[in-house]
Amino acid sequence: MTERLSITPTHAYRNNDKLIGIGNAFWDMSERSGLAGIVAAYGEGVLRTEAGHEYIAEGHEFVNFSCCSYLDLDSHPKVIEGGIEALRRYGVLDHCIARSRVQIPAMLELEASLGELFGAHVVCSIAASTATFGLLPLIASGHLGTGKRPLMIFDKNAHVSMANVKPVCADETEVVTSGHHDLNFIEDACKKYEQVAYVCDGSDSLGGYAPVKELAELQDRYGLIVYYDDSHSMSAYGERGVGYVRTHSPVLDERTIVVMTLNKAFGTSGAAIVLDGYDKETLRVIERFGGALNYSQLLNTPAVGAGLASAEIHRTGELVTLQNKLYENIQLFDSLIHTDQTGSTFPIRLVPMGDDTVIEAGRRVFEAGFYVSPVFFPIVARGTAGLRVMMRAGQSAEQVRALCAVLAEVGARPTAPIPGEAAR
Amino acid sequence: MTERLSITPTHAYRNNDKLIGIGNAFWDMSERSGLAGIVAAYGEGVLRTEAGHEYIAEGHEFVNFSCCSYLDLDSHPKVIEGGIEALRRYGVLDHCIARSRVQIPAMLELEASLGELFGAHVVCSIAASTATFGLLPLIASGHLGTGKRPLMIFDKNAHVSMANVKPVCADETEVVTSGHHDLNFIEDACKKYEQVAYVCDGSDSLGGYAPVKELAELQDRYGLIVYYDDSHSMSAYGERGVGYVRTHSPVLDERTIVVMTLNKAFGTSGAAIVLDGYDKETLRVIERFGGALNYSQLLNTPAVGAGLASAEIHRTGELVTLQNKLYENIQLFDSLIHTDQTGSTFPIRLVPMGDDTVIEAGRRVFEAGFYVSPVFFPIVARGTAGLRVMMRAGQSAEQVRALCAVLAEVGARPTAPIPGEAAR
């Protein structure tokens, strides 16, 4: 009998052996230390563990400093009631058929409301990753954008939900990976290719914003298309919470495509694709050929109703109040612990730790009553491990101070005291 | 100035130019005839159009014969109340953080309930397509399955949510496309490669089931892995609604992976991945590295609550009653209109029409008060256009008879009357 064939993979854009080989050991370590696989009941801003871990007893109470609901809108009574009301009103979670055929008006209602909020055309999706998997191949083939097949440049730090679509795009066009925000690389490509599209986060999950103004210059000069995932700044940033990109990009037309989750600061489920300047034909192409955007499962009615309620809050002074509470908490944190993000409005802080100390540090913080997530390769580059802290509007000053005290104990760098401060 | 580069795509696995070039014209035609882009209010099993079309007046009432909620569980009062109850109980739609870190018990509750229903391990996902995009690359790299990198065979009719992942899998292993249910092709591959995985629908969106018994023989003989999307038979088929594959496949272990939407006959939102025989380590790999399965957006709490209620109905005689009502409607349809699916339990019937007559036929059926969807390339192969009819438990015999009468008028083939029938 002849030997049966084994296969050598190309690994041009991804490599599960490497990803899982390295990442899984760290996850296992996290879980053994009680920092992963936590199941916890939620109530009044505090979680309580349901299962015992090696180090953490069942019933351990903690404040989640690693939840992306930056404005705590997820538990806002109006948002919850909005979800209930829509479920009752429509009488179904969903009416299972592709929306390009027949749809009930639920998701259209939310799209209209968000469209008004953004001053743009909004298409909703069940998740930002779903939107990305639907849209990037259309950009690759030139059907979304200028009609020309672009060289697609993925930022090396682009979230995995975007990076995962590289091989799909590579079957429709050429795909390359650039350094992080490498404007020279992008400009060189613009000089060489008749059309270029750049894919990156508008707001990074590890803190920091995209250089939207510099990119806009390239958009103006070369017709560069930019696809932003601005999930981490939706609601948390800008007037009526339109996010960082839509606040600062001078180019809001067909060349700028923004996708944002509704699941973080907005407080509900799903995602919004924010578009400007596209004609009806292109919008129909998105709806019909944007992958899961035309599958039979739409955003369910409670997510729609909750979204309508959250959008209403975005139109009131309450949003400003919540944003300001978030910023106060961020400033308080920055006044106590120094990070590379100090001074930014970004709700995420990465407190550097050694690859070999990060989990023990996280464990001690958790024991003290705060969950912060240890991040490590492959979430971040090797040698840049740390504890990721996410600030929320709903955290009390007392909680922030107590967290910072224990962070300092486990090796975080305290902010230099203001001269004379200690004497007061 | 030198000419800037344009790009020639590889188009090894997909081709938007072709897909959109051909498909979009048919969509446009459908929409002009009022058979696509319909917005309609829903109530008591009847829809009412909201926007006027060229041919159909605003306020036109119709019964949807193209909705996949085969048992009408989507509007079951217990399902709706289950959604509301869970939203109130948890007080959030979702607690935004990756589940491998911290999760509230919501989705675990549903997974436990569905696990009991299936007698298997269940992992939930926000959509079947999301599950597929998470799992297929893990199968490709050998991390899900037997540890060996398989040749991946995609059935040529595999739903687009699976076919779209081909280029991603092709970066982790070798990918080929087989003829529809081409068992010889699969067996030849099994003889040649040390590991093979076959990807197909358990229940086709155009009617028909996979040859699970014949595939099980190959699974036994060669260790073939089969990935089934059995979305169209979940709830509608089998004891407690476990679907076609889980009812008939003699191989229910690591070699058979089934994904099923919860959005069709089950009546809620999301999807279930049904697994047997995997150890805890592999389950952790799925949770951590299965793409969106570990992103911060889980199935929202109303979907969980509605799912718990639907699962409870699956444990009662009510499910059998609903399945029987569905089957009665299917039999009534078959007694009046002949299709290739006649005599099958499958809830979908494809009524053949000419490529040039299918839309006009659909328009006349819609005018008569019934929506059936015209299908055409690229949804089906060229030359096999037709009107897709979806049966539900909630359709009345009167509605089914009236639909069949108008289908016969527009060119469907009536079933030959039983001898002597006309005389009675």
Side-chain angles (χ1 to χ4, degrees), chain B residues 153-160 162-163 166 176-182 185-186 198-201 204 378-382 384:
Chain B
I153 303 175
F154 284 74
D155 190 281
K156 85 175 171 76
N157 287 10
H159 186 263
V160 62
M162 294 181 274
K166 284 182 193 177
V176 292
T177 303
S178 71
H180 187 45
H181 298 159
D182 189 341
F185 183 95
I186 300 164
Y198 173 58
V199 178
C200 70
D201 296 272
D204 286 7
I379 299 167
V380 293
R382 266 171 283 199
T384 61

Side-chain angles (χ1 to χ4, degrees), chain A residues 130-199:
Chain A
T130 307
T132 291
F133 192 32
L135 296 180
L136 291 187
L138 292 176
I139 293 175
S141 63
H143 287 90
L144 182 57
T146 62
K148 282 179 218 151
R149 208 176 284 283
L151 172 77
M152 281 185 91
I153 304 175
F154 284 74
D155 191 282
K156 85 175 170 76
N157 287 9
H159 187 263
V160 62
S161 60
M162 294 181 276
N164 274 348
V165 192
K166 283 181 192 178
V168 181
C169 294
D171 205 20
E172 296 278 2
T173 193
E174 250 176 84
V175 167
V176 292
T177 303
S178 71
H180 187 45
H181 298 158
D182 188 343
L183 296 162
N184 290 331
F185 182 95
I186 300 165
E187 181 158 18
D188 286 348
C190 288
K191 287 176 180 164
K192 196 171 159 198
Y193 287 84
E194 62 174 5
Q195 182 66 57
V196 175
Y198 172 58
V199 178

Side-chain angles (χ1 to χ4, degrees), chain A residues 252-328:
Chain A
L252 293 181
D253 60 21
E254 311 92 291
R255 294 167 295 175
T256 300
I257 297 164
V258 184
V259 65
M260 295 190 242
T261 188
L262 301 176
N263 182 236
K264 299 188 189 293
F266 191 77
T268 66
S269 305
I273 300 161
V274 189
L275 300 163
D276 303 86
Y278 281 106
D279 56 21
K280 198 185 157 191
E281 281 95 76
T282 307
L283 297 174
R284 280 287 188 267
V285 166
I286 294 172
E287 182 178 296
R288 294 168 183 170
F289 300 99
L293 299 177
N294 197 30
Y295 297 166
S296 306
Q297 188 181 323
L298 279 64
L299 208 48
N300 61 27
T301 52
V304 165
L308 289 169
S310 181
E312 277 313 301
I313 294 168
H314 281 64
R315 293 182 174 93
T316 67
E318 188 175 354
L319 185 84
V320 182
T321 307
L322 288 170
Q323 285 181 336
N324 286 340
K325 280 176 75 177
L326 169 65
Y327 296 152
E328 280 166 29

Side-chain angles (χ1 to χ4, degrees), chain B residues 180-202:
Chain B
H180 187 45
H181 298 159
D182 189 341
L183 295 162
N184 290 331
F185 183 95
I186 300 164
E187 180 158 18
D188 287 348
C190 289
K191 287 177 182 164
K192 196 171 159 197
Y193 287 83
E194 61 174 6
Q195 181 65 57
V196 175
Y198 173 58
V199 178
C200 70
D201 296 272

